[in-house]
Amino acid sequence: MSAQINIHNLKKSYGEFQVLHGIDLEIAQGEVVCVIGPSGSGKSTLIRCINRLEAFDDESEIAVDGIAVVPGRALAAVRAEVGMVFQSFNLFPHMTVLRNVMLAPMRVRHSSVKDAEARARVLLDRVGISEQADKYPENLSGGQQQRVAIARALAMEPKVLLFDEPTSALDPEMVGEVLDVMKKLAGTGVTMVIVTHEMGFARQVADRVIFMDGGNVIEAGPPAEIFDNPKEERTRSFLHAVLDH
């Protein structure tokens, strides 16, 4: 399987503080990768670098589908293929749910209103909220808003989906509905990179789990290996702390 995302020597600093310390990573086409680790370990920064929502140090290299992630026209091409779902839903409050999902295909892909609306309705049905199409975001629960955000990301027919702790802002009873949508997506062949603190979800859905700490990848492997037989002491202590609560 060819690598769809290539990351080489990824470094990121904020002034004197180095957040990422030369990460090397390949993610295959259709692979579902969950990134776990303590707060401040660089997980969110890592995935935000993939579509250059965070600029990274000059000697670092990232490519998506063979296209280098550098400022300019190439970056626009990468971003058109990479969908992103954030912790906070980032929906446009003045637009209906339907218009939120229609907007990017019309603006970026120059879809007609008719085609964009048809696609949006299919996607809202797919994430289980077709009946909310004409409502505004403020009238939806957090879980519903996050499902709209997923539908919006899918509207661009991305090859890669990035999730930055998509359930961390949700009330506990709403987490399951969002994870269920993501589980269904994991079987569709789209490449997914998910920063999550939902360990059960990572174990169930991921092809590979990456454990980060201190801006480094400490350990990576299949879920059973990472959760049941971690090689590194730092991985063991982290999992012991989070799985015992």
Side-chain angles (χ1 to χ4, degrees):
M1 232 185 306
S2 59
Q4 188 157 41
I5 302 170
N6 282 283
I7 299 172
H8 177 63
N9 192 32
L10 178 58
K11 296 179 180 177
K12 166 69 181 177
S13 300
Y14 295 106
E16 296 293 304
F17 179 61
Q18 191 166 356
V19 186
L20 299 175
H21 296 271
I23 288 174
D24 292 307
L25 194 59
E26 289 190 354
I27 297 171
Q29 187 173 348
E31 189 176 15
V32 178
V33 174
C34 285
V35 185
I36 65 171
S39 296
S41 58
K43 308 183 298 296
S44 292
T45 304
L46 168 66
I47 68 161
R48 289 172 68 89
C49 285
I50 292 173
N51 60 353
R52 210 177 169 92
L53 287 179
E54 293 277 2
F56 40 83
D57 294 8
D58 289 344
E59 68 264 40
S60 307
E61 296 174 7
I62 300 179
V64 177
D65 266 346
I67 304 171
V69 180
V70 292
R73 191 171 291 176
L75 182 57
V78 168
R79 286 181 174 165
E81 303 296 346
V82 178
M84 181 104 188
V85 179
F86 301 89
Q87 292 179 38
S88 52
F89 324 118
N90 291 5
L91 300 176
F92 294 111
H94 63 289
M95 290 184 181
T96 64
V97 163
L98 186 66
R99 295 294 296 188
N100 263 282
V101 180
M102 290 170 61
L103 184 64
M106 290 166 60
R107 286 257 177 99
V108 181
R109 301 243 192 257
H110 307 296
S111 297
S112 68
V113 173
K114 183 180 176 184
D115 288 348
E117 180 176 344
R119 170 101 179 127
R121 290 192 184 280
V122 167
L123 290 170
L124 290 172
D125 184 54
R126 187 167 160 192
V127 299
I129 48 171
S130 55
E131 74 285 356
Q132 310 293 343
D134 297 322
K135 291 186 180 176
Y136 287 86
E138 67 181 9
N139 301 124
L140 272 57
S141 70
Q144 289 171 326
Q145 289 188 59
Q146 193 60 293
R147 286 188 279 164
V148 175
I150 293 171
R152 182 180 59 182
L154 290 170
M156 288 290 287
E157 300 183 37
K159 295 177 180 174
V160 176
L161 274 175
L162 308 175
F163 294 85
D164 185 7
E165 297 200 24
T167 59
S168 66
L170 300 178
D171 292 334
E173 66 269 23
M174 294 174 186
V175 169
E177 65 190 57
V178 173
L179 294 181
D180 284 345
V181 170
M182 292 170 65
K183 284 174 191 171
K184 288 174 186 161
L185 283 178
T188 64
V190 65
T191 305
M192 297 170 67
V193 187
I194 306 160
V195 173
T196 185
H197 55 268
E198 301 288 343
M199 298 299 146
F201 170 79
R203 181 192 282 270
Q204 186 178 357
V205 171
D207 298 308
R208 184 163 43 132
V209 173
I210 292 170
F211 172 66
M212 288 183 68
D213 190 32
N216 294 292
V217 172
I218 305 298
E219 190 166 355
E225 189 177 291
I226 297 297
F227 287 111
D228 299 334
N229 192 27
K231 296 182 178 69
E232 301 295 328
E233 175 54 39
R234 181 66 191 97
T235 315
R236 283 196 291 273
S237 63
F238 170 77
L239 290 171
H240 181 71
V242 297
L243 296 176
D244 284 356
H245 291 287

